[in-house]
Amino acid sequence: LVNNAGLFTMAQNRSETTDGFETHMAVNYLAPFLLTALLWPSLSRASPNARVVNVSSSTHSLGFLDLSDPMLANSYTSLRAYSQSKSALVMGSFALQKRSKNISIIALDPGCSGTEIARDLPRILQTAMHILNGYILMTPKEGAKCTIFAASDPSVSKPQKNRFLAFCGDSWCASECKDEQFNDRLWEMTCEWLKLSPDWPKK
């Protein structure tokens, strides 16, 4: 399972889903968390060959999650919303791996590439990204390499605690994302938001 869908909007005003979740958090974290939970029975039947790949971002280190205001009702900026949703995705990945012994859970940074995630940027920035695409930025094809590696390479098939990849190899991630107590709190809150049992998946 590759959770690759993402959202980054430059909107100055905070927006919510119909469920009341901040939009970046809903798309970038809660949606893949829920999809993984719903598909878990199928993934379990496919283990030990199943994997969950969560496509995060290097910007996860810029927006560490504030559990007192996880939906940024009081301190919204678009960059912070995007960054902390990607931070939550890394922490949720680590928390899920802690609870899963037979399925490899991998979070990764795909690198900076010129994809459609920039479609809401101002036109001048979109033009600049188009010009830089293939020079400073990776092409979308190049940007997919780490995700494909995570989903298919035998070297990452076995579960490993706090696995974070970049450039097709193990990589640094923010130390805050490895705080198990914090991650457990986020897990419980996420399960409550999504009306899931905090005991899933069964060990």
Side-chain angles (χ1 to χ4, degrees):
L1 171 63
V2 177
N3 290 311
N4 183 60
L7 171 74
F8 179 39
T9 173
M10 291 295 291
Q12 294 183 351
N13 296 323
R14 178 180 173 276
S15 62
E16 292 185 350
T17 66
T18 56
D19 298 309
F21 302 122
E22 191 278 320
T23 305
H24 290 86
M25 186 66 78
V27 174
N28 297 339
Y29 172 59
L30 294 177
F33 191 103
L34 179 59
L35 180 61
T36 301
L38 294 174
L39 293 177
W40 196 258
S42 297
L43 291 166
S44 297
R45 288 192 294 271
S47 67
N49 298 313
R51 309 180 197 188
V52 177
V53 178
N54 289 324
V55 180
S56 182
S57 168
S58 60
T59 62
H60 77 274
S61 62
L62 302 178
F64 187 63
L65 188 62
D66 179 3
L67 291 184
S68 68
D69 187 22
M71 301 300 162
L72 298 180
N74 302 310
S75 54
Y76 176 84
T77 68
S78 59
L79 179 59
R80 185 178 183 191
Y82 177 77
S83 299
Q84 80 155 17
S85 69
K86 291 299 187 177
S87 178
L89 186 59
V90 175
M91 292 185 284
S93 300
F94 293 170
L96 179 55
Q97 187 67 87
K98 176 182 176 181
R99 292 159 173 80
S100 171
K101 306 304 180 185
N102 299 316
I103 298 176
S104 181
I105 315 297
I106 304 167
L108 64 86
D109 167 28
C112 190
S113 56
T115 68
E116 285 298 307
I117 199 169
R119 62 185 176 271
D120 289 330
L121 292 176
R123 185 170 297 277
I124 188 171
L125 293 180
Q126 292 188 46
T127 301
M129 291 186 69
H130 179 73
I131 294 172
L132 294 172
N133 197 11
Y135 294 93
I136 297 175
L137 300 177
M138 292 186 290
T139 65
K141 184 177 181 179
E142 291 169 335
K145 287 182 179 179
C146 190
T147 303
I148 294 170
F149 172 85
S152 61
D153 196 274
S155 66
V156 291
S157 62
K158 294 182 179 179
Q160 177 179 306
K161 182 179 180 181
N162 298 346
R163 171 167 274 152
F164 187 83
L165 303 181
F167 300 104
C168 300
D170 291 324
S171 184
W172 170 91
C173 78
S175 58
E176 294 89 346
C177 291
K178 301 176 183 178
D179 184 331
E180 288 195 18
Q181 289 186 335
F182 189 96
N183 293 352
D184 287 343
R185 288 173 58 201
L186 175 62
W187 180 274
E188 292 171 359
M189 292 175 68
T190 304
C191 290
E192 182 177 351
W193 291 332
L194 298 176
K195 297 179 173 56
L196 296 170
S197 168
D199 294 328
W200 89 271
K202 299 296 182 181
K203 295 182 180 180

